[in-house]
Amino acid sequence: MARLTSKKRSKLPKSSFAIKSQRKYPIDTKARARNALARVSQFGTKAQQKQVRAAVTKRYPSLKKTGRGRRKKKT
């Protein structure tokens, strides 16, 4: 994942963040979306966790949790 400098972050549109009003948890790439899920589970409130999960699954449906934290096996 490429480093996101403050200059690059400030140029991102609001639509690239999971919590748009506060410009928190950038989800402009799949790797940052995974990172947003991890960080919000560590530091976010329950409401923030729900909001970030919804934003990430809307933008990247393939990252949807498949139950018990396990990924689907490819067939």
Side-chain angles (χ1 to χ4, degrees), residues 9 12-28 48 51-52 54-59:
R9 184 184 169 101
L12 287 176
K14 274 190 173 184
S15 61
S16 293
F17 292 89
I19 301 179
K20 293 168 182 48
S21 61
Q22 298 174 345
R23 294 181 61 91
K24 279 185 160 183
Y25 305 108
I27 57 171
D28 57 322
Q48 287 176 335
Q51 190 175 359
V52 170
V56 168
T57 54
K58 181 179 179 182
R59 190 162 186 162

Side-chain angles (χ1 to χ4, degrees), residues 61-62 64-67 69-75:
S62 63
K64 187 175 182 176
K65 199 172 185 181
T66 59
R70 296 181 184 172
R71 293 185 185 174
K72 288 183 181 177
K73 289 184 180 180
K74 292 184 181 179
T75 56

Side-chain angles (χ1 to χ4, degrees), residues 29-75:
T29 65
K30 217 175 207 184
R32 288 197 182 105
R34 281 191 206 101
N35 191 33
L37 289 170
R39 296 304 138 241
V40 79
S41 69
Q42 285 181 319
F43 304 112
T45 64
K46 292 289 182 188
Q48 287 176 335
Q49 290 174 9
K50 187 175 179 182
Q51 190 175 359
V52 170
R53 260 188 259 125
V56 168
T57 54
K58 181 179 179 182
R59 190 162 186 162
Y60 302 103
S62 63
L63 292 182
K64 187 175 182 176
K65 199 172 185 181
T66 59
R68 287 199 244 148
R70 296 181 184 172
R71 293 185 185 174
K72 288 183 181 177
K73 289 184 180 180
K74 292 184 181 179
T75 56

